[in-house]
Amino acid sequence: MPQFFPPITVSTATLVLDLLGTFVFALSGAVSGVKHRLDIFGVLALSFAAANVGGITRDLLIGAVPPPGIADWRYIAVALAAGLLTFYGGAVIERLWNSVLLFDAVGLGLFAVTGASKALAYHLPPLTAVLLGVLTGVGGGMARDILVSEVPVVLRADLYAVAALAGAAVVVTGRALGLAGDVASVIGAALCIGVRIMAMRRHWQLPVARPRGGA
């Protein structure tokens, strides 16, 4: 039988960052849906998946059930609001610089730190907390891309998972050094977002697999 942890109250700052991450990831999902000319249900479904799949997966793994992504009306409302905003105001959102990738970078940073923070709140080991932070950050984007039949960004983008890893590691390291949790989260999120945006601008990336000649 799986062992579930009792519910634990996370800090207000972690909740705020989580909801903000939910909103911007939902925007990235909705913008992707609009670009693929989905109907309103498809846009909202993509918005919800991008916003909540990573967090739901994390919560199931740590035993935080039922996951807030489906049990807390705020997460659902924020995701749907972002979807509706994009569906009816897509022209404005599309004018933003490289909107999907920009929203995705912000969501990645916010979710990476909140994922790691929540894992630490459930007294999980540091390495596990880092990995769950990465999972929280990349899970929604993977769901979004798979639903529109694209190779997930995490498998092809410039320093995507590495940026999430850096942000989550800052949170865990900061806590170990006695840094205030909220301060560590802000620093970690800023580092993750900064690395991701710089990687997009300067095309930093890990080595890419090359097929052998004649293969």
Side-chain angles (χ1 to χ4, degrees), residues 117 170-171 173-187:
S117 297
V170 166
V171 172
T173 303
R175 296 288 186 87
L177 295 176
L179 193 65
D182 297 345
V183 174
S185 293
V186 171
I187 295 173

Side-chain angles (χ1 to χ4, degrees), residues 74-101:
R74 292 172 294 187
Y75 288 85
I76 300 171
V78 165
L80 296 183
L84 291 172
L85 176 65
T86 304
F87 187 84
Y88 289 107
V92 176
I93 299 213
E94 282 295 328
R95 283 198 291 268
L96 295 177
W97 169 73
N98 220 352
S99 53
V100 174
L101 292 179

Side-chain angles (χ1 to χ4, degrees), residues 99-213:
S99 53
V100 174
L101 292 179
L102 178 60
F103 292 139
D104 191 79
V106 176
L108 180 69
L110 295 173
F111 271 9
V113 299
T114 58
S117 297
K118 190 165 186 178
L120 291 174
Y122 275 70
H123 310 296
L124 296 180
L127 179 59
T128 304
V130 171
L131 294 177
L132 285 173
V134 175
L135 174 63
T136 307
V138 306
M142 290 184 66
R144 175 199 64 215
D145 295 340
I146 290 171
L147 287 172
V148 293
S149 301
E150 292 183 352
V151 177
V153 173
V154 66
L155 300 180
R156 57 183 169 82
D158 309 322
L159 300 186
Y160 192 83
V162 171
L165 182 66
V170 166
V171 172
V172 173
T173 303
R175 296 288 186 87
L177 295 176
L179 193 65
D182 297 345
V183 174
S185 293
V186 171
I187 295 173
L191 175 63
C192 178
I193 296 168
V195 168
R196 178 73 185 112
I197 291 177
M198 288 299 295
M200 289 190 292
R201 285 181 174 272
R202 298 182 179 274
H203 304 292
W204 296 339
Q205 61 180 27
L206 297 175
V208 177
R210 306 289 184 186
R212 292 180 180 273

Side-chain angles (χ1 to χ4, degrees), residues 23-65:
F23 182 75
V24 293
F25 251 138
L27 285 177
S28 79
V31 170
S32 181
V34 170
K35 285 188 172 183
H36 285 83
R37 303 184 64 83
L38 303 184
D39 62 19
I40 186 169
F41 178 82
V43 170
L44 294 179
L46 213 58
S47 177
F48 179 84
N52 290 312
V53 164
I56 289 172
T57 304
R58 172 204 64 209
D59 291 338
L60 290 175
L61 288 174
I62 68 178
V65 291

